[in-house]
Amino acid sequence: ESPNYLRLSNQINLFQLSIEKIIVALAMTFIIINSEIDLSVASIMGLAACILAALHEQGVPVPIGILVALLAGALCGAFNGFWIAYVGLPSLAVTLAGLIGYRGVARILLEDRSIGDFPSWFNLLGQKPLIGPLPLAMIIFFILLFIAVIVLQYSSFGRYIYVIGNNREVARYSGVKVQRVKMSLFIISGFISALAGLLLAARLGAVRGNMGEGFELDIITMVLLGGVSVFGGTGTLVGVSLAILLILNLRNGMSLVNITSNTQTGVIGLLLILSVLIPNWAQNVRSVWGRRR
């Protein structure tokens, strides 16, 4: 038992080690409430980091590489959104293809190499505190969290997200521009994923083609465990924030007792299954109880 486990400094350290996943979980919350899924987020993270590294290797200034990588992330999101919102393909199939395709492009760019040697200012942005004990990534997270809460809970766009998640046809007949909302959400998801990938590159100081691989499992689990329904229409960022704390401390606790990373992934996968099953069981119990009454 560690007396420092619950100290603020340790909790900040836990956040810092997974802050990129947490940032993407904010965008994923919007996507799932809208009754969609984005399995390509981790691949877009890796692709953005690889684009930055490849451009840097060619002598392109890092600020320009950052802009190109962010634009590429937004374009990946727009590509996903076009097929989902306007063509009508299932988001599961489209983003699964994106997961494979974007990761493939990232591996083509870097092959099996690891590229680092970024300017010191770029690495410092990911590794050193900027305000008090908070690094840049955590500052960005709190800013995005504040914006996300305002948009989701207090704006018409947020209401549209819930309405579409509950019933797309009702939303369409009510005058909601369903296609535009969905397209916007996937563009935002791609942009935020690319931003998280760049923050991860700054924190690690080097980039490989497999960067961020498997992150989508933790990200989706954070959202679903936070009470967001996999069928859309319900959920809050408060619940997601509590789930983030739970998963971070669970992973840290398992690491402290020397549980292997593969076993940890299995436990997170089990949590993902339970986060879907338990709400369904609860709904069935309520339905049965209501009929009996």
Side-chain angles (χ1 to χ4, degrees):
E1 181 179 351
S2 173
N4 298 321
Y5 185 80
L6 294 177
R7 291 175 67 92
L8 178 61
S9 58
N10 186 55
Q11 295 300 310
I12 290 175
N13 184 56
L14 291 182
F15 260 82
Q16 188 171 359
L17 293 175
S18 298
I19 189 63
E20 299 83 17
K21 299 177 189 176
I22 297 169
I23 288 173
V24 179
L26 295 178
M28 187 66 77
T29 301
F30 282 63
I31 293 285
I32 296 181
I33 289 176
N34 197 238
S35 192
E36 302 291 354
I37 194 74
D38 190 350
L39 299 178
S40 67
V41 288
S43 295
I44 294 175
M45 289 175 65
L47 177 59
C50 289
I51 288 173
L52 173 65
L55 291 175
H56 173 62
E57 188 179 43
Q58 296 300 318
V60 176
V62 170
I64 295 177
I66 290 173
L67 292 176
V68 173
L70 291 174
L71 177 60
L75 288 175
C76 288
F79 181 79
N80 290 343
F82 170 77
W83 294 106
I84 295 163
Y86 291 97
V87 179
L89 297 180
S91 58
L92 179 66
V94 172
T95 59
L96 179 60
L99 180 154
I100 299 168
Y102 303 145
R103 181 66 63 187
V105 175
R107 290 184 179 277
I108 290 171
L109 286 174
L110 297 195
E111 297 176 341
D112 292 327
R113 296 174 298 148
S114 175
I115 296 180
D117 193 31
F118 293 111
S120 57
W121 62 264
F122 179 75
N123 293 334
L124 288 175
L125 287 176
Q127 299 166 6
K128 296 294 183 181
L130 287 185
I131 300 178
L134 303 180
L136 175 64
M138 291 193 67
I139 295 170
I140 290 175
F141 164 71
F142 286 118
I143 293 173
L144 291 177
L145 177 61
F146 175 77
I147 294 172
V149 169
I150 296 299
V151 170
L152 195 58
Q153 304 297 331
Y154 301 103
S155 73
S156 57
F157 185 74
R159 289 192 293 273
Y160 295 158
I161 292 172
Y162 279 103
V163 170
I164 295 170
N166 276 309
N167 193 311
R168 181 185 308 186
E169 294 305 315
V170 169
R172 181 177 289 111
Y173 289 129
S174 300
V176 177
K177 299 185 185 304
V178 174
Q179 293 174 325
R180 186 180 299 178
V181 171
K182 288 187 179 294
M183 186 70 170
S184 300
L185 288 178
F186 279 96
I187 292 174
I188 292 169
S189 178
F191 180 85
I192 295 296
S193 298
L195 174 62
L198 297 178
L199 292 172
L200 180 60
R203 180 165 66 85
L204 298 180
V207 175
R208 293 184 61 88
N210 64 349
M211 175 174 280
E213 201 166 49
F215 279 15
E216 58 277 337
L217 175 64
D218 277 9
I219 292 167
I220 294 172
T221 304
M222 288 174 183
V223 178
L224 297 183
L225 195 62
V228 177
S229 172
V230 71
F231 302 109
T234 59
T236 66
L237 285 165
V238 173
V240 173
S241 299
L242 294 175
I244 287 169
L245 286 173
L246 173 63
I247 291 175
L248 293 184
N249 282 278
L250 179 62
R251 274 200 178 272
N252 189 50
M254 288 190 291
S255 297
L256 291 176
V257 296
N258 297 320
I259 295 177
T260 64
S261 60
N262 289 335
T263 305
Q264 291 182 28
T265 301
V267 172
I268 298 300
L270 178 61
L271 277 178
L272 178 57
I273 295 172
L274 291 176
S275 66
V276 176
L277 285 178
I278 291 175
N280 286 343
W281 288 339
Q283 184 176 1
N284 290 336
V285 169
R286 285 196 299 268
S287 299
V288 172
W289 180 252
R291 287 196 296 268
R292 288 182 176 178
R293 294 186 62 184

